[in-house]
Amino acid sequence: MASRNRSVPAADRVAKPQARTAAKRVKILEAAMTVFGTRGYNNAALAEIAEQAGMTHAGVLHHFGSKEGLLVAVLKYRDGEAMAGVAGREQVEGPAFLPHLTDTVRDNIKRPGVVQTYAVLSAESVTDGHPAQEYFRGRMAGLRIKLQRVIGMTTGREVEDDDVRDAASALIAVMDGLQVQWLLDPQAVDMPRTLALVLDELIERLATNEPAPPVSARVDGVLSVGAAQDEPQAS
Amino acid sequence: MASRNRSVPAADRVAKPQARTAAKRVKILEAAMTVFGTRGYNNAALAEIAEQAGMTHAGVLHHFGSKEGLLVAVLKYRDGEAMAGVAGREQVEGPAFLPHLTDTVRDNIKRPGVVQTYAVLSAESVTDGHPAQEYFRGRMAGLRIKLQRVIGMTTGREVEDDDVRDAASALIAVMDGLQVQWLLDPQAVDMPRTLALVLDELIERLATNEPAPPVSARVDGVLSVGAAQDEPQAS
DNA sequence: CAAAACTTACTGACTCGTTTGTAAGTATGT
DNA sequence: ACATACTTACAAACGAGTCAGTAAGTTTTG
């Protein structure tokens, strides 16, 4: 299925970009983000992206070489934008990163398009041979490591501790999972509040190092107030 | 153009479906699950599904009318299968539903295909006009309500309590979010352990009703041991 | 019970729309 | 003059759905 290796036309070797070109490219990227978000990568048509950017699909290809190239550019663009982001918020490094998560989620409510793009693409990326797969694998790994470090710092735990690792995965999972629920029904979930609940509780637990009893015990009535256990667990 | 004298596949007419038909349909559904999972709905071709089921794409259409019809059938089939499921596990109703969650996640590790189908389709469903949108909206809502009830029962809280609601959303979010991370890198996350961590901690918090201090306070040094605060938060 | 009268379960060929990418030509700025 | 930034036109594929036809099963009828 893979055609022969031909040289990519004019992907990135920009010798002399003209004055208004940069702005035009941003406009294409912005349009692409919207369309990839509303339709998914596979179902998105270059023609629609081009139209929103005020040109033909061939014009888009002139700048980004291929649809896949455009996607990669969108992903990179989003990263850069998220840093120099919405409220002049720069790269937060220390334990302040944790409340920053909740802030970001709060801001995201005002940018459903961005949320949708991220949610759709990240899940779509697990499909066979998806062009964004490597990107999201790396992104997840990076986020996990960063969170592990920050959680370690904040709670005085080892960075390599299993609980710290799990907490990092869990926080990312909560944010991503909430987005899908929220996109399907914005009334149904309160993203920042829910994230804060998990975040506060997880950090408290790691800081005090007092694991909660497993729910299985609770269900068996071992800890419950009225200690009437009704049914034995099959396990 | 809907109700003609055409031979509608799932007919309520007088004649019987043939003997091996049911099995054949299941084979198609099984193939469709795989292909929808590995390619996503939009990128999946009926021809590939048909091939895996041992027929042509027109044959598939004969049984399910359209690609969209097939997707809906797959989703329904999956629900039915999940109940009569893997280990003869039937509809768990009471507080036992909570440990059941962890069990399900543990089983899912052995069924990456199913996980991928669910993860890809649920996120894809938020795109404009996706045929599975209503299905997943309903599914999420139903799961949330069920979890609210079970959490209420287990912790002695009101079902309508915000914390209970948030905890329900959070648990679903953790499960779904972990799946994407796990599919991208199975080594990187321990799904059941991570879910258990969040689950235990959330239930404990709701049961004792002692909210953890917000991380923001912790970061500001109010609670931290070494009370060195580095940067004031913008907010 | 068996032939006629259907129905079901397909296949193969085709239509028609959509889509990515290419090629060649035109305008514009430096 | 010469890249750059496009456009129009086209190529080649692909994919969903239609249609007519065929083989086999099922029901009805005499």
Side-chain angles (χ1 to χ4, degrees), chain B residues 140-217:
Chain B
M140 294 288 182
L143 248 177
R144 264 188 314 255
I145 287 178
K146 173 152 198 180
L147 271 174
Q148 277 176 240
R149 270 203 277 268
V150 171
I151 293 169
M153 259 186 250
T154 311
T155 62
R157 289 292 207 88
E158 280 293 328
V159 175
E160 296 299 329
D161 187 296
D162 274 350
D163 279 348
V164 172
R165 217 190 285 275
D166 290 351
S169 310
L171 287 176
I172 299 169
V174 170
M175 288 187 289
D176 292 354
L178 280 178
Q179 289 184 345
V180 174
Q181 289 182 61
W182 178 72
L183 288 165
L184 282 168
D185 189 351
Q187 313 287 318
V189 292
D190 187 319
M191 289 201 290
R193 206 180 58 197
T194 304
L195 173 62
L197 172 69
V198 176
L199 180 59
D200 293 350
E201 221 53 43
L202 244 29
I203 295 297
E204 167 78 358
R205 183 254 209 265
L206 294 202
T208 61
N209 198 16
E210 282 172 21
V215 281
S216 52

Side-chain angles (χ1 to χ4, degrees), chain B residues 18 21 55-56 58 62-63:
Chain B
Q18 279 172 328
T21 300
M55 41 195 273
T56 63
H62 165 73
H63 284 290

Side-chain angles (χ1 to χ4, degrees), chain B residues 62-136:
Chain B
H62 165 73
H63 284 290
F64 297 97
S66 69
K67 191 183 181 185
E68 191 172 324
L70 176 59
L71 176 60
V72 172
V74 165
L75 261 13
K76 275 197 190 121
Y77 173 68
R78 185 196 170 277
D79 274 355
E81 177 188 60
M83 278 176 190
V86 189
R89 174 191 309 145
E90 79 281 22
Q91 190 77 305
V92 183
E93 261 305 337
F97 187 64
L98 292 180
H100 167 73
L101 290 179
T102 323
D103 294 343
T104 303
V105 170
R106 213 186 318 275
D107 288 345
N108 279 345
I109 292 173
K110 287 165 211 146
R111 304 183 294 161
V114 177
V115 173
Q116 186 158 328
T117 304
Y118 177 83
V120 170
L121 290 183
S122 64
E124 196 180 13
S125 80
V126 311
T127 57
D128 283 13
H130 195 283
Q133 198 167 108
E134 211 40 66
Y135 172 83
F136 278 106

Side-chain angles (χ1 to χ4, degrees), chain A residues 120-197:
Chain A
V120 170
L121 289 183
S122 64
E124 196 179 12
S125 80
V126 311
T127 57
D128 283 12
H130 196 283
Q133 195 166 111
E134 211 39 67
Y135 171 84
F136 278 107
R137 210 195 314 276
R139 175 167 229 275
M140 294 288 182
L143 249 178
R144 264 188 315 254
I145 288 177
K146 174 154 196 179
L147 271 173
Q148 277 176 238
R149 270 202 279 264
V150 172
I151 292 169
M153 258 186 249
T154 312
T155 62
R157 289 290 207 88
E158 280 294 328
V159 176
E160 296 299 330
D161 187 297
D162 274 350
D163 280 347
V164 172
R165 216 190 285 273
D166 290 350
S169 311
L171 288 176
I172 299 169
V174 170
M175 289 188 288
D176 293 353
L178 280 178
Q179 289 184 344
V180 175
Q181 289 181 63
W182 178 73
L183 288 165
L184 282 169
D185 188 351
Q187 313 288 316
V189 293
D190 187 321
M191 288 200 292
R193 206 180 58 195
T194 304
L195 173 62
L197 172 68

